[in-house]
Amino acid sequence: MILAASTAAWVHSAFAWAGMALGAALWRASIRHQPTGGALAPGNFAVVVGLLLGAAIGNKAVFLLERPDVALAMWQGQPVWPGQSIVGGLLGGLIGVEIAKALTRQTRSTGDAMVWPIAVGLAVGRVGCFLAGLHDDTYGLPTALPWGVDFGDGVRRHPTQVYEIAIVLPLGWSLHRARFATPGAAFKVFLSSYLAWRFAVEFIKPVPVAWPLGLSGIQWTCLVALIVYLPLTLRALRPAP
């Protein structure tokens, strides 16, 4: 499917919002019968607010890190609007949740209930990225593999959006079904795995602006986040003494 730029923008946004709405509905269903109450219970509501604010800030901040040319254009007053970054949304949402929990003095883990909703939301959103084709920055480099996709320029490319769907859904479902001794371990494994995946898959995607070592801004974000977060993940997976 080849869409005009204006149509692609609407389709991409529609799937992004649908993914968020479906993820939110799944999360609300997952906590409905928990002792902490529903989404509007005081502690849960604070988590939601922190999540939304953090994700909103993070997805724009990391996009501008990935595309400093867009940041410069905005600084110069040009009529451009920053895109979104899933990595930024996840990391910003995590930070926002932790700040909200600290302000409301909550120590319980809240991430495990979000694993499957996030995976589903990501998958639905990536359908929109795939349909947007060359009008979105998520397509891959040219490939001779038989499943390469021509997005309208006559070049068969890695359908990296489809690759991501094939990764996050099995990962999210398996962690959703898993039972870890430490609360929060499932979310930590999911986020660490996703960061590692994004770092790796960026090697078969165009780099809009190269940072040190030729890595993209997304790759550097994932690398720094993994350095900080992976030790916490490994600690959560340690067997109880």
Side-chain angles (χ1 to χ4, degrees):
M1 177 182 287
I2 302 171
L3 301 176
S6 57
T7 305
W10 282 105
V11 169
H12 184 268
S13 296
F15 274 91
W17 283 105
M20 288 187 283
L22 182 55
L26 290 172
W27 176 74
R28 288 184 63 186
S30 70
I31 67 168
R32 186 172 298 157
H33 303 297
Q34 292 185 6
T36 55
L40 297 181
N44 291 336
F45 184 72
V47 167
V48 171
V49 172
L51 172 66
L52 294 177
L53 289 177
I57 295 171
N59 73 14
K60 299 300 181 186
V62 174
F63 174 84
L64 293 175
L65 182 67
E66 172 80 349
R67 295 293 304 273
D69 54 322
V70 175
L72 179 60
M74 293 174 61
W75 179 260
Q76 294 172 341
Q78 298 181 33
V80 295
W81 184 252
Q84 302 183 71
S85 165
I86 289 177
V87 168
L90 288 174
L91 294 176
L94 171 65
I95 294 171
V97 166
E98 293 304 321
I99 291 175
K101 288 167 61 177
L103 292 176
T104 54
R105 299 182 180 179
Q106 297 183 63
T107 57
R108 61 187 176 88
S109 174
T110 56
D112 288 347
M114 297 181 181
V115 169
W116 180 236
I118 289 175
V120 172
L122 285 177
V124 173
R126 285 307 187 200
V127 174
C129 295
F130 178 82
L131 295 176
L134 296 176
H135 302 296
D136 188 79
D137 289 335
T138 56
Y139 56 84
L141 293 172
T143 180
L145 293 172
W147 54 80
V149 175
D150 178 1
F151 289 106
D153 62 350
V155 178
R156 298 179 69 85
R157 302 175 183 275
H158 285 286
T160 48
Q161 312 94 329
V162 178
Y163 295 169
E164 184 154 319
I165 294 171
I167 290 290
V168 297
L169 286 180
L171 175 65
W173 181 249
S174 61
L175 291 173
H176 172 70
R177 302 287 294 176
R179 293 295 177 265
F180 293 98
T182 304
F187 177 79
K188 289 182 173 64
V189 172
F190 179 83
L191 181 56
S192 295
S193 300
Y194 185 76
L195 292 171
W197 153 255
R198 284 300 303 273
F199 178 82
V201 78
E202 295 297 310
F203 284 110
I204 58 170
K205 293 168 65 175
V207 177
V209 178
W211 287 80
L213 303 180
L215 301 179
S216 68
I218 291 290
Q219 287 178 304
W220 273 110
T221 300
C222 291
L223 190 58
V224 171
L226 278 170
I227 291 172
V228 174
Y229 203 67
L230 190 55
L232 301 177
T233 302
L234 296 176
R235 187 182 307 166
L237 293 176
R238 288 177 187 168

